Amino acid sequence: MDTLDRTAAAPPAAPPAGRRAWIALGVLLLPLLLVSMDVSVLYFAVPFISQDLHPSSTQQLWIFDIYGFVLAGLLITMGALGDRIGRRRLLLTGALAFGAASTLAAYADSAATLIGARAVLGVAGATLMPSTLGLIRNLFPDSKQRAKAIAVWTAVTSGGIAVGPVLSGLLLEHFWWGSVFLINLPAMLMLLVLGPVLVPETPRHRDGRFDLPSALLSLAAILPLVYGIKELAQDGPHPVPLIAMLVGLLVGALFVRRQRRHPHALIDLTLVRARGFSGAVGLNLLAMFGLVGIAIFVTQYLQLVLGLSTLSAALWSVLPSLAVGAVAPLVMVLGQRLGRAPVVAGGFGLMALGFAGLGLLSPHSPLWLLLTVAVCYASGAVGVMSQVSEVVMAAAPVERAGTAASLLESGSELGGALGMALLGSLGTALYRAQVPGELPAGLPAAVAGPARDSLGGADAVVGRLPEGLGRAVLVAAREAFTGGLQGAAIAAAVLMALGAVLAVPLLRGVGTPGSAAVGNQD
């Protein structure tokens, strides 16, 4: 009798999604690819923009950074807004704004106009990223299909960042710099045409009025925090970024306090307390910490140590992304058979192994060795991120999926910024400690200063020296840079090994075979 009662009480299995849902997923992946590409698409365009618009050094930094700052600051607000007005409506509004801002950026006639257009792109991007992941929650109620869709979503997000510089380089070979923005228009137009037909609207959460003060507090917390972390990575410890980070943390504390007390808060804290949710967000942050923090070293190693051109380095960087695309389906199958915790722990283990491999590099290592270890840690990263994304989305009620997605994405942005700051600072400190003893004696101050500061500085000034002396300076700088890379990679490997250990208790019983996925039932 007890068995019959339990059987009767069990929720019915969710119906599988049909072909229409998979076509809709393809439509959703187009804006996702472009939003992730826009983080890196300007890498090659900056010299051309400088020739046309003549930005100051400060304006040039803002042309790069304003997009990421605004995107990170508005993710939580846009995720909650999508839950209220409908995620498809927010997605289409964001696509229209993204297309308009791309056109404005392409034809900008001043640096200030381009900075403003990039800021609007950040606002629009903040609507698109949580909306696409939240809509996947609605399109695929069946947990197995949703896991496959999220694995694809994760691979596209990672691939877009790698493809951005390559696409930028290819476009700039044939067109003017504005083309790197106009490439967004066909995809956004396709989304605006096909989205209303293929993508269903989501249930709307209308619990009281929208909490605008919380939205402003979240923006005021994240913007100075991300700004401070990035400035710390670029210029080292000094008062401005430290004060910015302190302000961000204090405002963040006020934001959390309001969420606990306000009856219609922006974030439902019961969602954060759902089984596995907070652990999954934290593990995702840790994976992004390692992945983004190491990326800057790998890019410089390809160009300044191995001597590849910028476009060649970008093309080789795509190879790990192709491997990620092949690994994603395997990760999905393993997650369903073994459960989330073992796969996430294994993913962190692969990342640790890959980063440890980076720690073995020397200035004379072959390219294939770097690519092999990059494939290793990139494959581990997709294992972690796809599984924790599924945990987060399964934990969220359908009407709160946008908020859940925005919290996950905010953690990714914060983890990446922390990785660049902390691992970058470690590598720089090791370089500066090692290089003075490696440089030839008697260098002019105009050469010794930049060479002691960074490998890029050394590369920029060696042309002023006789060929033999310049080569000696470059060899010393490359040795010191590789030492910094090794130290940062070993530190990242240790943290990823810690992630492998933490994954088991944090995700224990979440999504294990034969159990409910987590928190909410489908």
Side-chain angles (χ1 to χ4, degrees), residues 209-486:
R209 297 178 62 184
F210 184 73
D211 186 14
L212 183 59
S214 286
L216 295 175
L217 282 173
S218 72
L219 182 65
I222 293 174
L223 276 181
L225 190 59
V226 173
Y227 168 79
I229 291 170
K230 288 193 173 184
E231 286 294 302
L232 198 67
Q234 182 173 315
D235 300 324
H238 62 94
V240 173
L242 294 175
I243 291 172
M245 292 170 64
L246 180 61
V247 169
L249 291 172
L250 291 175
V251 177
L254 293 176
F255 173 77
V256 172
R257 184 172 181 268
R258 182 174 178 84
Q259 303 316 292
R260 288 175 173 170
R261 299 187 175 190
H262 196 274
H264 308 298
L266 201 65
I267 297 175
D268 182 359
L269 292 183
T270 60
L271 175 64
V272 178
R273 290 191 288 267
R275 185 160 56 97
F277 185 96
S278 296
V281 171
L283 292 170
N284 187 64
L285 184 152
L286 182 60
M288 288 298 294
F289 177 98
L291 195 63
V292 177
I294 286 297
I296 186 68
F297 290 98
V298 173
T299 301
Q300 291 184 74
Y301 184 87
L302 285 169
Q303 295 181 64
L304 299 179
V305 177
L306 297 185
L308 299 182
S309 69
T310 307
L311 183 56
S312 295
L315 285 168
W316 281 113
S317 297
V318 173
L319 184 60
S321 298
L322 297 177
V324 162
V327 168
L330 174 63
V331 168
M332 180 268 300
V333 172
L334 291 174
Q336 291 171 357
R337 293 187 177 181
L338 304 178
R340 311 291 178 210
V343 176
V344 172
F348 273 118
L350 272 179
M351 293 185 75
L353 182 63
F355 291 148
L358 284 181
L360 300 176
L361 292 179
S362 75
H364 311 291
S365 295
L367 178 60
W368 65 262
L369 177 59
L370 173 62
L371 295 176
T372 300
V373 297
V375 166
C376 183
Y377 69 69
S379 299
V382 77
V384 173
M385 291 187 287
S386 62
Q387 294 299 297
V388 297
S389 297
E390 167 59 10
V391 170
V392 167
M393 297 316 297
V398 172
E399 67 274 10
R400 287 289 193 179
T403 301
S406 69
L407 290 171
L408 184 71
E409 290 298 324
S410 296
S412 294
E413 294 290 329
L414 184 59
L418 283 168
M420 284 192 293
L422 299 181
L423 293 179
S425 297
L426 175 60
T428 299
L430 292 172
Y431 174 91
R432 292 173 180 170
Q434 180 178 340
V435 77
E438 303 280 348
L439 290 173
L443 289 175
V447 173
R452 289 192 183 106
D453 186 62
S454 68
L455 174 58
D459 187 68
V461 298
V462 291
R464 305 174 191 174
L465 299 172
E467 184 178 349
L469 185 59
R471 188 182 302 112
V473 170
L474 203 52
V475 167
R478 286 172 174 172
E479 288 284 354
F481 172 82
T482 306
L485 165 61
Q486 291 168 346

